[in-house]
Amino acid sequence: MAQQPWFCCLSVNFRGSTGFGKTFVELGNRQWSKNMHTDLIDAVEWAVTEGIAIREKVVIYGGSYGGYAALAGLTFTPDVFCCGVDIVGPSSLVTLVETIPPYWSSIYQQFILRIGGDPKTEEGRKFLLECSPLTHVDKIKKPLLIGQGANDPRVKQAESDQIVEAMVARNIPVGYVLYPDEGHGFARPPNRISFNAIIEKFLTNHLGGRREPYGNDFEGSTAQILEGKEDLQD
């Protein structure tokens, strides 16, 4: 998809990213939906100013934290992006922390430090709710595509289910694709191929341009389109 003449990809090393030293990582503490997101908005402004991107055709796309960033983009800055793609992203930081898998117990406190609040405390729970896209779901006004693995031990399927349910209840359009044999991300090649094809369909729906029909892109895939079939099917 990145080779299509109308798609340019910008990957941002926002504060909190690893690989740039401890100080840079710690700049992301308590900054989910805040300065970490501001860095993404600054990158958009740079790309538009440089003539690389068209302001009305900027998409926010990511997986895991990047999926959260996509949800944050459409809730906290609803006028910046024309659409978003969230892959296994948490919609509520409260339920994300409350369902941390047992093998994360040794890094629980470090995770609480990074994310900014402990739901076991009143102050921490209030902070996490404030930073949760689910809390601000009514602000979404741009198209959203969500991909989720049913066996995800880190970001449970419920994270995607609950924001999809909230959007449907408010008559906000959403595309939701579930893979019953995947976890935190898509590992099986047929599933990757099918979701890439769905993303291409979604992007051309909202950015314009041309695309190839699905053909055999779903061969061997377990993709289940639970919402938005009318927009995601050929």
Side-chain angles (χ1 to χ4, degrees):
M1 287 190 300
Q3 294 180 351
Q4 299 279 14
W6 52 88
F7 294 158
C8 295
C9 299
L10 175 61
S11 180
V12 182
N13 292 315
F14 48 83
R15 69 195 75 190
S17 298
T18 57
F20 300 93
K22 181 179 179 181
T23 299
F24 194 74
V25 170
E26 292 181 343
L27 286 174
N29 290 356
R30 292 178 60 85
Q31 296 304 315
W32 287 43
S33 81
K34 302 183 187 303
N35 285 336
M36 290 170 73
H37 187 63
T38 299
D39 290 341
L40 302 182
I41 302 304
D42 288 346
V44 171
E45 292 302 317
W46 172 83
V48 171
T49 300
E50 293 294 315
I52 297 170
I54 301 170
R55 186 176 297 280
E56 296 76 21
K57 293 191 175 185
V58 178
V59 180
I60 186 164
Y61 168 112
S64 195
Y65 173 82
Y68 165 84
L71 296 177
L74 297 190
T75 50
F76 290 95
T77 51
D79 295 314
V80 173
F81 303 98
C82 73
C83 60
V85 180
D86 153 35
I87 303 172
V88 298
S91 61
S92 168
L93 300 188
V94 171
T95 51
L96 172 68
V97 174
E98 289 178 339
T99 57
I100 284 178
Y103 59 83
W104 274 26
S105 59
S106 62
I107 62 168
Y108 180 84
Q109 290 304 322
Q110 182 185 47
F111 187 66
I112 292 301
L113 173 66
R114 297 281 186 257
I115 204 170
D118 190 335
K120 296 175 184 176
T121 70
E122 183 179 351
E123 180 183 3
R125 193 175 191 87
K126 181 180 178 181
F127 179 83
L128 295 181
L129 284 172
E130 174 193 321
C131 299
S132 296
L134 183 62
T135 303
H136 308 278
V137 66
D138 57 314
K139 296 178 183 176
I140 297 178
K141 52 186 178 182
K142 301 296 177 62
L144 173 63
L145 172 64
I146 295 176
Q148 177 69 46
N151 302 319
D152 193 335
R154 302 182 201 175
V155 178
K156 304 287 189 179
Q157 180 184 332
E159 291 295 326
S160 292
D161 287 350
Q162 62 192 1
I163 196 164
V164 169
E165 289 170 4
M167 292 178 69
V168 170
R170 292 165 173 78
N171 294 314
I172 303 172
V174 60
Y176 184 24
V177 185
L178 180 69
Y179 289 88
D181 57 351
E182 294 287 5
H184 195 62
F186 308 142
R188 294 185 59 244
N191 290 339
R192 290 187 178 188
I193 290 170
S194 65
F195 196 65
N196 283 339
I198 290 171
I199 292 173
E200 187 175 32
K201 167 68 172 172
F202 177 77
L203 293 182
T204 52
N205 281 352
H206 303 292
L207 294 179
R210 53 186 171 78
R211 56 173 283 273
E212 293 185 4
Y214 285 140
N216 61 355
D217 289 337
F218 286 80
E219 187 175 326
S221 168
T222 60
Q224 299 177 358
I225 302 178
L226 303 184
E227 291 291 341
K229 288 184 180 180
E230 62 281 0
D231 292 325
L232 299 179
Q233 292 180 335
D234 271 339

